[in-house]
Short mmCIF file of all heavy atoms in Angstrom, two decimals:
data_model
loop_
_atom_site.label_atom_id
_atom_site.label_comp_id
_atom_site.label_asym_id
_atom_site.label_seq_id
_atom_site.Cartn_x
_atom_site.Cartn_y
_atom_site.Cartn_z
N ALA A 276 128.11 59.04 148.75
CA ALA A 276 128.13 57.75 148.02
C ALA A 276 128.39 57.96 146.48
O ALA A 276 129.09 57.22 145.89
CB ALA A 276 126.75 57.11 148.23
N GLN A 277 127.83 59.07 145.89
CA GLN A 277 128.07 59.35 144.50
C GLN A 277 129.54 59.70 144.26
O GLN A 277 130.14 59.38 143.19
CB GLN A 277 127.06 60.41 143.99
CG GLN A 277 125.62 59.97 143.95
CD GLN A 277 124.77 61.11 143.48
OE1 GLN A 277 125.19 62.17 143.39
NE2 GLN A 277 123.49 60.75 143.18
N ARG A 278 130.13 60.48 145.23
CA ARG A 278 131.53 60.88 145.07
C ARG A 278 132.40 59.62 145.08
O ARG A 278 133.28 59.45 144.13
CB ARG A 278 131.93 61.76 146.20
CG ARG A 278 133.33 62.37 146.00
CD ARG A 278 133.69 63.22 147.21
NE ARG A 278 133.74 62.51 148.41
CZ ARG A 278 134.72 61.75 148.79
NH1 ARG A 278 135.81 61.61 148.07
NH2 ARG A 278 134.69 61.07 150.00
N LYS A 279 132.20 58.67 145.92
CA LYS A 279 132.99 57.43 145.94
C LYS A 279 132.78 56.64 144.66
O LYS A 279 133.75 56.12 144.05
CB LYS A 279 132.61 56.60 147.16
CG LYS A 279 133.10 57.24 148.45
CD LYS A 279 132.61 56.33 149.62
CE LYS A 279 132.98 56.93 151.02
NZ LYS A 279 132.62 56.11 152.13
N GLN A 280 131.53 56.63 144.20
CA GLN A 280 131.23 55.90 143.01
C GLN A 280 131.91 56.50 141.77
O GLN A 280 132.49 55.79 140.90
CB GLN A 280 129.74 55.84 142.72
CG GLN A 280 129.29 55.01 141.58
CD GLN A 280 127.78 54.95 141.43
OE1 GLN A 280 127.09 55.55 142.22
NE2 GLN A 280 127.27 54.23 140.41
N VAL A 281 131.97 57.78 141.70
CA VAL A 281 132.65 58.57 140.63
C VAL A 281 134.10 58.31 140.65
O VAL A 281 134.74 58.09 139.58
CB VAL A 281 132.32 60.05 140.69
CG1 VAL A 281 133.17 60.86 139.81
CG2 VAL A 281 130.80 60.31 140.45
N GLU A 282 134.66 58.27 141.85
CA GLU A 282 136.15 57.97 141.90
C GLU A 282 136.46 56.58 141.38
O GLU A 282 137.45 56.40 140.58
CB GLU A 282 136.61 58.12 143.35
CG GLU A 282 136.60 59.62 143.86
CD GLU A 282 137.08 59.66 145.31
OE1 GLU A 282 137.24 58.54 145.89
OE2 GLU A 282 137.20 60.77 145.85
N ALA A 283 135.57 55.64 141.80
CA ALA A 283 135.86 54.28 141.26
C ALA A 283 135.66 54.21 139.75
O ALA A 283 136.50 53.49 139.03
CB ALA A 283 134.88 53.32 141.95
N LEU A 284 134.63 54.83 139.24
CA LEU A 284 134.41 54.81 137.77
C LEU A 284 135.55 55.56 137.03
O LEU A 284 136.00 55.12 135.94
CB LEU A 284 133.04 55.52 137.50
CG LEU A 284 131.82 54.74 137.89
CD1 LEU A 284 130.63 55.58 137.63
CD2 LEU A 284 131.72 53.46 137.14
N THR A 285 136.12 56.64 137.69
CA THR A 285 137.23 57.30 137.05
C THR A 285 138.43 56.49 136.86
O THR A 285 139.08 56.50 135.90
CB THR A 285 137.54 58.61 137.82
OG1 THR A 285 136.39 59.44 137.91
CG2 THR A 285 138.63 59.42 137.19
N LYS A 286 138.74 55.71 137.99
CA LYS A 286 139.89 54.82 137.89
C LYS A 286 139.72 53.76 136.88
O LYS A 286 140.65 53.42 136.12
CB LYS A 286 140.16 54.26 139.30
CG LYS A 286 140.58 55.27 140.36
CD LYS A 286 140.83 54.62 141.71
CE LYS A 286 141.32 55.54 142.71
NZ LYS A 286 141.51 54.94 144.06
N ALA A 287 138.44 53.13 136.82
CA ALA A 287 138.22 52.10 135.85
C ALA A 287 138.33 52.65 134.45
O ALA A 287 138.82 51.99 133.53
CB ALA A 287 136.88 51.50 136.18
N ARG A 288 137.82 53.92 134.30
CA ARG A 288 137.87 54.49 132.91
C ARG A 288 139.29 54.77 132.50
O ARG A 288 139.65 54.60 131.33
CB ARG A 288 137.08 55.79 132.95
CG ARG A 288 136.88 56.38 131.58
CD ARG A 288 136.10 55.47 130.69
NE ARG A 288 135.90 56.09 129.36
CZ ARG A 288 135.41 55.43 128.30
NH1 ARG A 288 135.10 54.21 128.44
NH2 ARG A 288 135.22 56.06 127.17
N GLU A 289 140.11 55.17 133.40
CA GLU A 289 141.52 55.43 133.08
C GLU A 289 142.26 54.15 132.62
O GLU A 289 143.03 54.15 131.65
CB GLU A 289 142.26 56.07 134.31
CG GLU A 289 141.86 57.53 134.50
CD GLU A 289 142.51 58.05 135.76
OE1 GLU A 289 143.23 57.31 136.44
OE2 GLU A 289 142.33 59.23 136.08
N LEU A 290 141.99 53.11 133.34
CA LEU A 290 142.60 51.80 132.90
C LEU A 290 142.10 51.34 131.55
O LEU A 290 142.89 50.84 130.69
CB LEU A 290 142.23 50.76 133.95
CG LEU A 290 142.91 50.93 135.29
CD1 LEU A 290 142.36 49.86 136.32
CD2 LEU A 290 144.38 50.85 135.21
N GLU A 291 140.79 51.57 131.32
CA GLU A 291 140.27 51.18 129.98
C GLU A 291 140.85 52.00 128.88
O GLU A 291 141.14 51.51 127.81
CB GLU A 291 138.77 51.36 130.00
CG GLU A 291 138.04 50.37 130.88
CD GLU A 291 136.51 50.55 130.92
OE1 GLU A 291 136.04 51.49 130.20
OE2 GLU A 291 135.80 49.74 131.54
N LEU A 292 141.07 53.35 129.15
CA LEU A 292 141.68 54.19 128.13
C LEU A 292 143.11 53.76 127.82
O LEU A 292 143.56 53.81 126.63
CB LEU A 292 141.59 55.65 128.66
CG LEU A 292 140.21 56.32 128.56
CD1 LEU A 292 140.28 57.68 129.22
CD2 LEU A 292 139.66 56.41 127.21
N GLN A 293 143.85 53.43 128.86
CA GLN A 293 145.23 53.00 128.56
C GLN A 293 145.30 51.77 127.76
O GLN A 293 146.06 51.73 126.80
CB GLN A 293 145.96 52.80 129.97
CG GLN A 293 146.15 54.09 130.71
CD GLN A 293 146.80 53.83 132.07
OE1 GLN A 293 147.02 52.62 132.44
NE2 GLN A 293 147.01 54.91 132.89
N THR A 294 144.40 50.80 128.03
CA THR A 294 144.32 49.61 127.33
C THR A 294 143.87 49.86 125.88
O THR A 294 144.47 49.28 124.88
CB THR A 294 143.34 48.59 127.98
OG1 THR A 294 143.76 48.35 129.32
CG2 THR A 294 143.33 47.24 127.19
N ALA A 295 142.90 50.74 125.67
CA ALA A 295 142.35 51.07 124.34
C ALA A 295 143.45 51.79 123.52
O ALA A 295 143.52 51.64 122.29
CB ALA A 295 141.15 51.89 124.50
N GLU A 296 144.23 52.68 124.15
CA GLU A 296 145.25 53.35 123.40
C GLU A 296 146.30 52.40 122.81
O GLU A 296 146.63 52.56 121.67
CB GLU A 296 145.93 54.36 124.34
CG GLU A 296 145.17 55.59 124.60
CD GLU A 296 145.80 56.54 125.57
OE1 GLU A 296 146.99 56.18 125.98
OE2 GLU A 296 145.28 57.59 125.87
N LYS A 297 146.64 51.40 123.61
CA LYS A 297 147.63 50.40 123.09
C LYS A 297 147.04 49.55 121.96
O LYS A 297 147.73 49.38 120.98
CB LYS A 297 148.06 49.56 124.24
CG LYS A 297 148.87 50.22 125.31
CD LYS A 297 149.30 49.33 126.40
CE LYS A 297 150.02 50.02 127.59
NZ LYS A 297 150.43 49.10 128.66
N ALA A 298 145.82 49.12 122.20
CA ALA A 298 145.17 48.26 121.15
C ALA A 298 144.72 49.07 119.97
O ALA A 298 144.44 48.54 118.89
CB ALA A 298 144.05 47.45 121.79
N GLY A 299 144.48 50.40 120.11
CA GLY A 299 143.89 51.17 119.09
C GLY A 299 144.86 51.76 118.07
O GLY A 299 144.43 52.08 116.97
N LYS A 300 146.16 51.76 118.38
CA LYS A 300 147.10 52.34 117.46
C LYS A 300 147.16 51.45 116.23
O LYS A 300 147.09 51.94 115.06
CB LYS A 300 148.48 52.38 118.08
CG LYS A 300 148.57 53.50 119.10
CD LYS A 300 150.02 53.61 119.66
CE LYS A 300 150.12 54.79 120.60
NZ LYS A 300 151.49 54.98 121.16
N ALA A 301 147.31 50.12 116.42
CA ALA A 301 147.37 49.24 115.19
C ALA A 301 146.08 49.27 114.44
O ALA A 301 146.05 49.24 113.19
CB ALA A 301 147.69 47.83 115.69
N GLU A 302 144.97 49.28 115.22
CA GLU A 302 143.66 49.29 114.51
C GLU A 302 143.50 50.58 113.77
O GLU A 302 142.94 50.60 112.68
CB GLU A 302 142.53 49.11 115.54
CG GLU A 302 141.18 49.00 114.90
CD GLU A 302 140.11 48.75 116.04
OE1 GLU A 302 140.49 48.70 117.19
OE2 GLU A 302 138.90 48.71 115.70
N LEU A 303 144.01 51.73 114.35
CA LEU A 303 143.82 53.05 113.63
C LEU A 303 144.67 53.08 112.34
O LEU A 303 144.15 53.56 111.32
CB LEU A 303 144.35 54.10 114.61
CG LEU A 303 144.24 55.54 114.09
CD1 LEU A 303 142.78 55.87 113.78
CD2 LEU A 303 144.85 56.52 115.06
N ASP A 304 145.72 52.46 112.36
CA ASP A 304 146.64 52.41 111.13
C ASP A 304 145.94 51.64 110.03
O ASP A 304 145.90 52.03 108.84
CB ASP A 304 148.02 51.82 111.40
CG ASP A 304 148.78 52.75 112.31
OD1 ASP A 304 148.48 53.97 112.36
OD2 ASP A 304 149.73 52.22 112.97
N ALA A 305 145.33 50.49 110.42
CA ALA A 305 144.57 49.67 109.50
C ALA A 305 143.36 50.39 108.90
O ALA A 305 143.09 50.35 107.73
CB ALA A 305 144.21 48.34 110.13
N LEU A 306 142.66 51.06 109.81
CA LEU A 306 141.48 51.87 109.37
C LEU A 306 141.85 52.95 108.40
O LEU A 306 141.10 53.24 107.44
CB LEU A 306 140.72 52.37 110.61
CG LEU A 306 139.99 51.28 111.38
CD1 LEU A 306 139.39 51.94 112.67
CD2 LEU A 306 138.89 50.60 110.64
N ARG A 307 142.94 53.63 108.76
CA ARG A 307 143.40 54.75 107.87
C ARG A 307 143.72 54.25 106.47
O ARG A 307 143.37 54.92 105.49
CB ARG A 307 144.64 55.45 108.50
CG ARG A 307 145.00 56.66 107.77
CD ARG A 307 146.24 57.40 108.38
NE ARG A 307 145.89 57.97 109.66
CZ ARG A 307 146.34 57.55 110.86
NH1 ARG A 307 147.14 56.50 110.90
NH2 ARG A 307 145.99 58.15 111.98
N LYS A 308 144.40 53.16 106.38
CA LYS A 308 144.79 52.63 105.09
C LYS A 308 143.52 52.19 104.31
O LYS A 308 143.41 52.48 103.09
CB LYS A 308 145.68 51.32 105.27
CG LYS A 308 146.27 50.73 104.06
CD LYS A 308 147.19 49.60 104.34
CE LYS A 308 147.72 48.98 103.12
NZ LYS A 308 148.64 47.85 103.36
N GLN A 309 142.62 51.51 104.98
CA GLN A 309 141.33 51.12 104.38
C GLN A 309 140.55 52.34 103.91
O GLN A 309 139.99 52.29 102.82
CB GLN A 309 140.53 50.25 105.33
CG GLN A 309 139.28 49.69 104.79
CD GLN A 309 138.49 48.87 105.77
OE1 GLN A 309 138.95 48.65 106.96
NE2 GLN A 309 137.34 48.37 105.39
#
Side-chain angles (χ1 to χ4, degrees):
Q277 289 180 351
R278 186 180 63 80
K279 294 179 180 179
Q280 184 177 2
V281 168
E282 289 180 355
L284 290 174
T285 302
K286 292 181 180 179
R288 188 62 179 170
E289 288 177 355
L290 293 175
E291 290 178 359
L292 287 175
Q293 292 177 0
T294 305
E296 285 179 358
K297 293 179 181 179
K300 288 183 179 180
E302 185 177 358
L303 182 61
D304 293 338
L306 289 174
R307 184 181 290 111
K308 184 177 180 181
Q309 183 180 358

